[in-house]
Amino acid sequence: MKLGNRRRKRNEYLLDVKVQTEGRMRHRVRWLSAILAAVAVVSLSCYGVYRLVKYSAAKMVRENPRFAITQIVVEDDGAMTPQQVVAFAGVAVGQNLLSLDLEAVRRNLEMVPLVRHVEVRRLLPQRLFIHVDERIAVARLR
């Protein structure tokens, strides 16, 4: 009789396991869908904040007329005129001072053979300062 009871209990236990597995599976699916929904909401919120910050930075900084260059101050110790320095630098009055790449301006000026060293600085809110050290010619060829 012990064998009969064990078999009957084993079958009941197996039936309970299947019922518990289905319930657990439903619970896991609900939990997983809730996590996926939360991740989707958080990621969309982060993307929205990123786009808002990018738009705000563009409107308040890079496209703001208050930061347009009104004066370009050129200090030069050689033969180049301030107009030549500005032309070689590739900057113009009216460009946005904060969106200007100072490293590119410096490289443009240092590519000129007469120029030895260049210093470029922003003088907020509307001025650009360029200091040029020129090379001194030791000899001249005809």
mmCIF file of all heavy atoms in Angstrom, residues 70-114:
data_model
loop_
_atom_site.group_PDB
_atom_site.id
_atom_site.type_symbol
_atom_site.label_atom_id
_atom_site.label_comp_id
_atom_site.label_asym_id
_atom_site.label_seq_id
_atom_site.Cartn_x
_atom_site.Cartn_y
_atom_site.Cartn_z
ATOM 1 N N THR A 70 31.657 92.015 -33.411
ATOM 2 C CA THR A 70 31.519 93.397 -33.891
ATOM 3 C C THR A 70 32.876 94.043 -34.116
ATOM 4 O O THR A 70 32.975 95.009 -34.864
ATOM 5 C CB THR A 70 30.731 94.257 -32.880
ATOM 6 O OG1 THR A 70 31.397 94.226 -31.626
ATOM 7 C CG2 THR A 70 29.307 93.758 -32.744
ATOM 8 N N GLN A 71 33.906 93.504 -33.466
ATOM 9 C CA GLN A 71 35.237 94.096 -33.597
ATOM 10 C C GLN A 71 36.278 92.984 -33.550
ATOM 11 O O GLN A 71 36.233 92.110 -32.697
ATOM 12 C CB GLN A 71 35.475 95.091 -32.455
ATOM 13 C CG GLN A 71 36.794 95.792 -32.528
ATOM 14 C CD GLN A 71 36.995 96.718 -31.331
ATOM 15 O OE1 GLN A 71 36.277 96.651 -30.354
ATOM 16 N NE2 GLN A 71 37.998 97.578 -31.436
ATOM 17 N N ILE A 72 37.224 93.060 -34.500
ATOM 18 C CA ILE A 72 38.343 92.130 -34.526
ATOM 19 C C ILE A 72 39.602 92.943 -34.228
ATOM 20 O O ILE A 72 39.991 93.803 -35.012
ATOM 21 C CB ILE A 72 38.457 91.406 -35.878
ATOM 22 C CG1 ILE A 72 37.172 90.629 -36.165
ATOM 23 C CG2 ILE A 72 39.660 90.482 -35.895
ATOM 24 C CD1 ILE A 72 37.120 90.004 -37.533
ATOM 25 N N VAL A 73 40.199 92.677 -33.077
ATOM 26 C CA VAL A 73 41.384 93.409 -32.633
ATOM 27 C C VAL A 73 42.609 92.618 -33.087
ATOM 28 O O VAL A 73 42.766 91.456 -32.737
ATOM 29 C CB VAL A 73 41.402 93.566 -31.099
ATOM 30 C CG1 VAL A 73 42.642 94.306 -30.654
ATOM 31 C CG2 VAL A 73 40.140 94.252 -30.629
ATOM 32 N N VAL A 74 43.477 93.259 -33.898
ATOM 33 C CA VAL A 74 44.662 92.587 -34.422
ATOM 34 C C VAL A 74 45.898 93.321 -33.915
ATOM 35 O O VAL A 74 46.050 94.523 -34.131
ATOM 36 C CB VAL A 74 44.650 92.564 -35.968
ATOM 37 C CG1 VAL A 74 45.919 91.919 -36.499
ATOM 38 C CG2 VAL A 74 43.417 91.837 -36.483
ATOM 39 N N GLU A 75 46.769 92.577 -33.252
ATOM 40 C CA GLU A 75 48.078 93.097 -32.854
ATOM 41 C C GLU A 75 49.106 92.408 -33.730
ATOM 42 O O GLU A 75 49.189 91.176 -33.750
ATOM 43 C CB GLU A 75 48.377 92.785 -31.383
ATOM 44 C CG GLU A 75 47.709 93.699 -30.417
ATOM 45 C CD GLU A 75 48.183 93.448 -28.995
ATOM 46 O OE1 GLU A 75 49.121 92.653 -28.800
ATOM 47 O OE2 GLU A 75 47.607 94.047 -28.092
ATOM 48 N N ASP A 76 49.881 93.197 -34.450
ATOM 49 C CA ASP A 76 50.854 92.635 -35.377
ATOM 50 C C ASP A 76 52.148 93.427 -35.235
ATOM 51 O O ASP A 76 52.125 94.651 -35.149
ATOM 52 C CB ASP A 76 50.313 92.739 -36.812
ATOM 53 C CG ASP A 76 51.172 92.021 -37.808
ATOM 54 O OD1 ASP A 76 51.972 91.166 -37.408
ATOM 55 O OD2 ASP A 76 51.034 92.319 -39.018
ATOM 56 N N ASP A 77 53.268 92.714 -35.227
ATOM 57 C CA ASP A 77 54.542 93.402 -35.058
ATOM 58 C C ASP A 77 55.355 93.430 -36.349
ATOM 59 O O ASP A 77 56.536 93.709 -36.330
ATOM 60 C CB ASP A 77 55.360 92.749 -33.943
ATOM 61 C CG ASP A 77 55.692 91.301 -34.247
ATOM 62 O OD1 ASP A 77 55.196 90.773 -35.254
ATOM 63 O OD2 ASP A 77 56.445 90.694 -33.461
ATOM 64 N N GLY A 78 54.724 93.164 -37.474
ATOM 65 C CA GLY A 78 55.483 93.089 -38.723
ATOM 66 C C GLY A 78 54.832 93.857 -39.847
ATOM 67 O O GLY A 78 54.195 94.888 -39.643
ATOM 68 N N ALA A 79 54.993 93.322 -41.037
ATOM 69 C CA ALA A 79 54.584 94.021 -42.247
ATOM 70 C C ALA A 79 53.137 93.740 -42.660
ATOM 71 O O ALA A 79 52.597 94.429 -43.512
ATOM 72 C CB ALA A 79 55.514 93.623 -43.398
ATOM 73 N N MET A 80 52.512 92.734 -42.088
ATOM 74 C CA MET A 80 51.136 92.408 -42.489
ATOM 75 C C MET A 80 50.161 93.424 -41.921
ATOM 76 O O MET A 80 50.289 93.856 -40.772
ATOM 77 C CB MET A 80 50.753 91.002 -42.000
ATOM 78 C CG MET A 80 51.502 89.886 -42.712
ATOM 79 S SD MET A 80 51.107 88.251 -42.064
ATOM 80 C CE MET A 80 49.395 88.113 -42.425
ATOM 81 N N THR A 81 49.178 93.783 -42.707
ATOM 82 C CA THR A 81 48.150 94.711 -42.252
ATOM 83 C C THR A 81 47.066 93.934 -41.508
ATOM 84 O O THR A 81 46.904 92.728 -41.699
ATOM 85 C CB THR A 81 47.523 95.455 -43.441
ATOM 86 O OG1 THR A 81 46.845 94.510 -44.272
ATOM 87 C CG2 THR A 81 48.581 96.199 -44.248
ATOM 88 N N PRO A 82 46.298 94.610 -40.669
ATOM 89 C CA PRO A 82 45.201 93.921 -39.974
ATOM 90 C C PRO A 82 44.179 93.307 -40.938
ATOM 91 O O PRO A 82 43.633 92.241 -40.654
ATOM 92 C CB PRO A 82 44.568 95.028 -39.131
ATOM 93 C CG PRO A 82 45.671 95.990 -38.886
ATOM 94 C CD PRO A 82 46.511 95.952 -40.137
ATOM 95 N N GLN A 83 43.950 93.953 -42.083
ATOM 96 C CA GLN A 83 43.017 93.406 -43.062
ATOM 97 C C GLN A 83 43.544 92.089 -43.635
ATOM 98 O O GLN A 83 42.772 91.147 -43.862
ATOM 99 C CB GLN A 83 42.765 94.407 -44.209
ATOM 100 C CG GLN A 83 41.992 95.637 -43.786
ATOM 101 C CD GLN A 83 42.878 96.690 -43.129
ATOM 102 O OE1 GLN A 83 44.106 96.601 -43.144
ATOM 103 N NE2 GLN A 83 42.240 97.686 -42.516
ATOM 104 N N GLN A 84 44.844 92.002 -43.865
ATOM 105 C CA GLN A 84 45.433 90.763 -44.367
ATOM 106 C C GLN A 84 45.330 89.649 -43.317
ATOM 107 O O GLN A 84 45.021 88.504 -43.650
ATOM 108 C CB GLN A 84 46.902 90.977 -44.739
ATOM 109 C CG GLN A 84 47.131 91.780 -45.980
ATOM 110 C CD GLN A 84 48.617 92.050 -46.209
ATOM 111 O OE1 GLN A 84 49.382 92.198 -45.250
ATOM 112 N NE2 GLN A 84 49.003 92.119 -47.477
ATOM 113 N N VAL A 85 45.580 89.996 -42.072
ATOM 114 C CA VAL A 85 45.495 89.002 -40.996
ATOM 115 C C VAL A 85 44.071 88.450 -40.896
ATOM 116 O O VAL A 85 43.861 87.238 -40.783
ATOM 117 C CB VAL A 85 45.956 89.615 -39.654
ATOM 118 C CG1 VAL A 85 45.670 88.666 -38.500
ATOM 119 C CG2 VAL A 85 47.423 89.970 -39.715
ATOM 120 N N VAL A 86 43.087 89.340 -40.961
ATOM 121 C CA VAL A 86 41.689 88.899 -40.878
ATOM 122 C C VAL A 86 41.332 88.042 -42.079
ATOM 123 O O VAL A 86 40.637 87.020 -41.952
ATOM 124 C CB VAL A 86 40.751 90.125 -40.757
ATOM 125 C CG1 VAL A 86 39.298 89.723 -40.926
ATOM 126 C CG2 VAL A 86 40.968 90.820 -39.427
ATOM 127 N N ALA A 87 41.815 88.411 -43.255
ATOM 128 C CA ALA A 87 41.528 87.619 -44.456
ATOM 129 C C ALA A 87 42.158 86.231 -44.362
ATOM 130 O O ALA A 87 41.526 85.224 -44.711
ATOM 131 C CB ALA A 87 42.026 88.355 -45.694
ATOM 132 N N PHE A 88 43.402 86.152 -43.900
ATOM 133 C CA PHE A 88 44.063 84.853 -43.758
ATOM 134 C C PHE A 88 43.410 84.008 -42.654
ATOM 135 O O PHE A 88 43.390 82.789 -42.735
ATOM 136 C CB PHE A 88 45.557 85.020 -43.457
ATOM 137 C CG PHE A 88 46.366 85.464 -44.633
ATOM 138 C CD1 PHE A 88 47.293 86.487 -44.495
ATOM 139 C CD2 PHE A 88 46.219 84.861 -45.874
ATOM 140 C CE1 PHE A 88 48.055 86.904 -45.583
ATOM 141 C CE2 PHE A 88 46.974 85.273 -46.953
ATOM 142 C CZ PHE A 88 47.898 86.296 -46.816
ATOM 143 N N ALA A 89 42.881 84.650 -41.618
ATOM 144 C CA ALA A 89 42.255 83.922 -40.511
ATOM 145 C C ALA A 89 40.935 83.290 -40.933
ATOM 146 O O ALA A 89 40.542 82.259 -40.404
ATOM 147 C CB ALA A 89 42.032 84.857 -39.333
ATOM 148 N N GLY A 90 40.259 83.917 -41.881
ATOM 149 C CA GLY A 90 38.974 83.376 -42.329
ATOM 150 C C GLY A 90 37.823 83.731 -41.419
ATOM 151 O O GLY A 90 36.841 82.996 -41.349
ATOM 152 N N VAL A 91 37.925 84.839 -40.713
ATOM 153 C CA VAL A 91 36.832 85.298 -39.859
ATOM 154 C C VAL A 91 36.286 86.600 -40.423
ATOM 155 O O VAL A 91 36.953 87.291 -41.188
ATOM 156 C CB VAL A 91 37.295 85.508 -38.395
ATOM 157 C CG1 VAL A 91 37.705 84.202 -37.779
ATOM 158 C CG2 VAL A 91 38.399 86.519 -38.300
ATOM 159 N N ALA A 92 35.068 86.915 -40.024
ATOM 160 C CA ALA A 92 34.445 88.140 -40.498
ATOM 161 C C ALA A 92 33.574 88.715 -39.399
ATOM 162 O O ALA A 92 33.136 88.007 -38.486
ATOM 163 C CB ALA A 92 33.597 87.863 -41.740
ATOM 164 N N VAL A 93 33.326 89.994 -39.484
ATOM 165 C CA VAL A 93 32.425 90.658 -38.552
ATOM 166 C C VAL A 93 31.027 90.091 -38.793
ATOM 167 O O VAL A 93 30.592 89.932 -39.929
ATOM 168 C CB VAL A 93 32.461 92.192 -38.767
ATOM 169 C CG1 VAL A 93 31.402 92.879 -37.934
ATOM 170 C CG2 VAL A 93 33.840 92.728 -38.437
ATOM 171 N N GLY A 94 30.335 89.763 -37.723
ATOM 172 C CA GLY A 94 28.986 89.209 -37.831
ATOM 173 C C GLY A 94 28.936 87.717 -37.519
ATOM 174 O O GLY A 94 27.870 87.190 -37.241
ATOM 175 N N GLN A 95 30.073 87.026 -37.558
ATOM 176 C CA GLN A 95 30.093 85.611 -37.188
ATOM 177 C C GLN A 95 29.859 85.475 -35.688
ATOM 178 O O GLN A 95 30.171 86.382 -34.922
ATOM 179 C CB GLN A 95 31.442 84.968 -37.519
ATOM 180 C CG GLN A 95 31.612 84.562 -38.948
ATOM 181 C CD GLN A 95 32.946 83.845 -39.132
ATOM 182 O OE1 GLN A 95 33.989 84.387 -38.770
ATOM 183 N NE2 GLN A 95 32.896 82.661 -39.684
ATOM 184 N N ASN A 96 29.344 84.337 -35.284
ATOM 185 C CA ASN A 96 29.123 84.100 -33.873
ATOM 186 C C ASN A 96 30.458 83.782 -33.212
ATOM 187 O O ASN A 96 31.190 82.912 -33.667
ATOM 188 C CB ASN A 96 28.142 82.952 -33.660
ATOM 189 C CG ASN A 96 27.715 82.845 -32.222
ATOM 190 O OD1 ASN A 96 28.529 82.669 -31.333
ATOM 191 N ND2 ASN A 96 26.419 82.962 -31.995
ATOM 192 N N LEU A 97 30.742 84.467 -32.144
ATOM 193 C CA LEU A 97 32.026 84.330 -31.460
ATOM 194 C C LEU A 97 32.164 82.977 -30.764
ATOM 195 O O LEU A 97 33.242 82.392 -30.737
ATOM 196 C CB LEU A 97 32.188 85.467 -30.447
ATOM 197 C CG LEU A 97 33.518 85.596 -29.746
ATOM 198 C CD1 LEU A 97 34.618 85.869 -30.761
ATOM 199 C CD2 LEU A 97 33.468 86.707 -28.721
ATOM 200 N N LEU A 98 31.072 82.447 -30.222
ATOM 201 C CA LEU A 98 31.145 81.200 -29.476
ATOM 202 C C LEU A 98 31.160 79.967 -30.378
ATOM 203 O O LEU A 98 31.614 78.912 -29.961
ATOM 204 C CB LEU A 98 29.985 81.117 -28.482
ATOM 205 C CG LEU A 98 30.006 82.205 -27.413
ATOM 206 C CD1 LEU A 98 28.801 82.074 -26.510
ATOM 207 C CD2 LEU A 98 31.278 82.161 -26.607
ATOM 208 N N SER A 99 30.659 80.092 -31.581
ATOM 209 C CA SER A 99 30.695 78.953 -32.491
ATOM 210 C C SER A 99 31.959 78.954 -33.351
ATOM 211 O O SER A 99 32.181 78.031 -34.128
ATOM 212 C CB SER A 99 29.464 78.949 -33.394
ATOM 213 O OG SER A 99 29.473 80.069 -34.242
ATOM 214 N N LEU A 100 32.798 79.952 -33.180
ATOM 215 C CA LEU A 100 34.035 80.059 -33.944
ATOM 216 C C LEU A 100 35.080 79.089 -33.386
ATOM 217 O O LEU A 100 35.299 79.029 -32.181
ATOM 218 C CB LEU A 100 34.558 81.501 -33.855
ATOM 219 C CG LEU A 100 35.757 81.860 -34.704
ATOM 220 C CD1 LEU A 100 35.405 81.790 -36.172
ATOM 221 C CD2 LEU A 100 36.225 83.257 -34.343
ATOM 222 N N ASP A 101 35.730 78.332 -34.264
ATOM 223 C CA ASP A 101 36.771 77.387 -33.865
ATOM 224 C C ASP A 101 38.109 78.137 -33.820
ATOM 225 O O ASP A 101 38.709 78.419 -34.853
ATOM 226 C CB ASP A 101 36.827 76.220 -34.850
ATOM 227 C CG ASP A 101 37.789 75.138 -34.419
ATOM 228 O OD1 ASP A 101 38.272 75.186 -33.274
ATOM 229 O OD2 ASP A 101 38.060 74.240 -35.246
ATOM 230 N N LEU A 102 38.546 78.455 -32.617
ATOM 231 C CA LEU A 102 39.773 79.237 -32.453
ATOM 232 C C LEU A 102 41.001 78.470 -32.919
ATOM 233 O O LEU A 102 41.942 79.061 -33.443
ATOM 234 C CB LEU A 102 39.943 79.652 -30.988
ATOM 235 C CG LEU A 102 38.859 80.563 -30.423
ATOM 236 C CD1 LEU A 102 39.177 80.920 -28.983
ATOM 237 C CD2 LEU A 102 38.682 81.802 -31.256
ATOM 238 N N GLU A 103 40.984 77.167 -32.758
ATOM 239 C CA GLU A 103 42.115 76.347 -33.196
ATOM 240 C C GLU A 103 42.237 76.386 -34.722
ATOM 241 O O GLU A 103 43.337 76.447 -35.269
ATOM 242 C CB GLU A 103 41.943 74.910 -32.702
ATOM 243 C CG GLU A 103 43.150 74.048 -32.893
ATOM 244 C CD GLU A 103 44.352 74.520 -32.087
ATOM 245 O OE1 GLU A 103 44.184 75.157 -31.051
ATOM 246 O OE2 GLU A 103 45.483 74.237 -32.532
ATOM 247 N N ALA A 104 41.122 76.377 -35.427
ATOM 248 C CA ALA A 104 41.160 76.452 -36.890
ATOM 249 C C ALA A 104 41.659 77.828 -37.346
ATOM 250 O O ALA A 104 42.423 77.921 -38.319
ATOM 251 C CB ALA A 104 39.779 76.167 -37.471
ATOM 252 N N VAL A 105 41.259 78.876 -36.662
ATOM 253 C CA VAL A 105 41.739 80.223 -36.994
ATOM 254 C C VAL A 105 43.250 80.291 -36.789
ATOM 255 O O VAL A 105 43.983 80.815 -37.626
ATOM 256 C CB VAL A 105 41.006 81.284 -36.142
ATOM 257 C CG1 VAL A 105 41.626 82.655 -36.329
ATOM 258 C CG2 VAL A 105 39.528 81.308 -36.481
ATOM 259 N N ARG A 106 43.732 79.741 -35.677
ATOM 260 C CA ARG A 106 45.166 79.734 -35.402
ATOM 261 C C ARG A 106 45.932 78.951 -36.474
ATOM 262 O O ARG A 106 46.961 79.399 -36.976
ATOM 263 C CB ARG A 106 45.436 79.133 -34.019
ATOM 264 C CG ARG A 106 46.884 79.237 -33.591
ATOM 265 C CD ARG A 106 47.150 78.488 -32.303
ATOM 266 N NE ARG A 106 46.851 77.075 -32.410
ATOM 267 C CZ ARG A 106 47.644 76.170 -32.990
ATOM 268 N NH1 ARG A 106 48.777 76.548 -33.534
ATOM 269 N NH2 ARG A 106 47.301 74.903 -33.038
ATOM 270 N N ARG A 107 45.402 77.779 -36.847
ATOM 271 C CA ARG A 107 46.060 76.977 -37.895
ATOM 272 C C ARG A 107 46.079 77.712 -39.228
ATOM 273 O O ARG A 107 47.079 77.669 -39.954
ATOM 274 C CB ARG A 107 45.343 75.635 -38.066
ATOM 275 C CG ARG A 107 45.913 74.558 -37.178
ATOM 276 C CD ARG A 107 45.313 73.207 -37.488
ATOM 277 N NE ARG A 107 44.129 73.054 -36.648
ATOM 278 C CZ ARG A 107 42.906 72.836 -37.073
ATOM 279 N NH1 ARG A 107 42.653 72.691 -38.343
ATOM 280 N NH2 ARG A 107 41.897 72.728 -36.240
ATOM 281 N N ASN A 108 44.983 78.376 -39.584
ATOM 282 C CA ASN A 108 44.931 79.130 -40.846
ATOM 283 C C ASN A 108 46.023 80.198 -40.883
ATOM 284 O O ASN A 108 46.676 80.388 -41.914
ATOM 285 C CB ASN A 108 43.571 79.793 -41.031
ATOM 286 C CG ASN A 108 42.482 78.799 -41.345
ATOM 287 O OD1 ASN A 108 42.751 77.649 -41.689
ATOM 288 N ND2 ASN A 108 41.244 79.230 -41.210
ATOM 289 N N LEU A 109 46.218 80.885 -39.776
ATOM 290 C CA LEU A 109 47.221 81.943 -39.755
ATOM 291 C C LEU A 109 48.645 81.385 -39.711
ATOM 292 O O LEU A 109 49.555 81.965 -40.300
ATOM 293 C CB LEU A 109 46.986 82.866 -38.557
ATOM 294 C CG LEU A 109 45.805 83.818 -38.729
ATOM 295 C CD1 LEU A 109 45.491 84.508 -37.426
ATOM 296 C CD2 LEU A 109 46.098 84.834 -39.821
ATOM 297 N N GLU A 110 48.840 80.274 -39.024
ATOM 298 C CA GLU A 110 50.191 79.715 -38.956
ATOM 299 C C GLU A 110 50.622 79.057 -40.262
ATOM 300 O O GLU A 110 51.801 78.765 -40.434
ATOM 301 C CB GLU A 110 50.296 78.724 -37.790
ATOM 302 C CG GLU A 110 50.343 79.433 -36.449
ATOM 303 C CD GLU A 110 50.498 78.490 -35.289
ATOM 304 O OE1 GLU A 110 50.305 77.271 -35.475
ATOM 305 O OE2 GLU A 110 50.804 78.979 -34.184
ATOM 306 N N MET A 111 49.699 78.827 -41.172
ATOM 307 C CA MET A 111 50.059 78.280 -42.484
ATOM 308 C C MET A 111 50.672 79.344 -43.391
ATOM 309 O O MET A 111 51.302 79.024 -44.389
ATOM 310 C CB MET A 111 48.838 77.645 -43.153
ATOM 311 C CG MET A 111 48.435 76.334 -42.489
ATOM 312 S SD MET A 111 46.936 75.594 -43.152
ATOM 313 C CE MET A 111 47.297 75.486 -44.866
ATOM 314 N N VAL A 112 50.504 80.606 -43.042
ATOM 315 C CA VAL A 112 51.104 81.701 -43.811
ATOM 316 C C VAL A 112 52.604 81.704 -43.507
ATOM 317 O O VAL A 112 53.009 81.675 -42.345
ATOM 318 C CB VAL A 112 50.463 83.054 -43.421
ATOM 319 C CG1 VAL A 112 51.127 84.203 -44.147
ATOM 320 C CG2 VAL A 112 48.972 83.023 -43.691
ATOM 321 N N PRO A 113 53.477 81.728 -44.541
ATOM 322 C CA PRO A 113 54.926 81.647 -44.305
ATOM 323 C C PRO A 113 55.497 82.780 -43.468
ATOM 324 O O PRO A 113 56.493 82.595 -42.762
ATOM 325 C CB PRO A 113 55.520 81.669 -45.712
ATOM 326 C CG PRO A 113 54.424 81.243 -46.607
ATOM 327 C CD PRO A 113 53.154 81.658 -45.962
ATOM 328 N N LEU A 114 54.905 83.961 -43.491
ATOM 329 C CA LEU A 114 55.413 85.090 -42.717
ATOM 330 C C LEU A 114 55.150 84.960 -41.219
ATOM 331 O O LEU A 114 55.793 85.618 -40.412
ATOM 332 C CB LEU A 114 54.765 86.392 -43.202
ATOM 333 C CG LEU A 114 55.231 86.948 -44.544
ATOM 334 C CD1 LEU A 114 54.387 88.149 -44.924
ATOM 335 C CD2 LEU A 114 56.685 87.339 -44.455
#
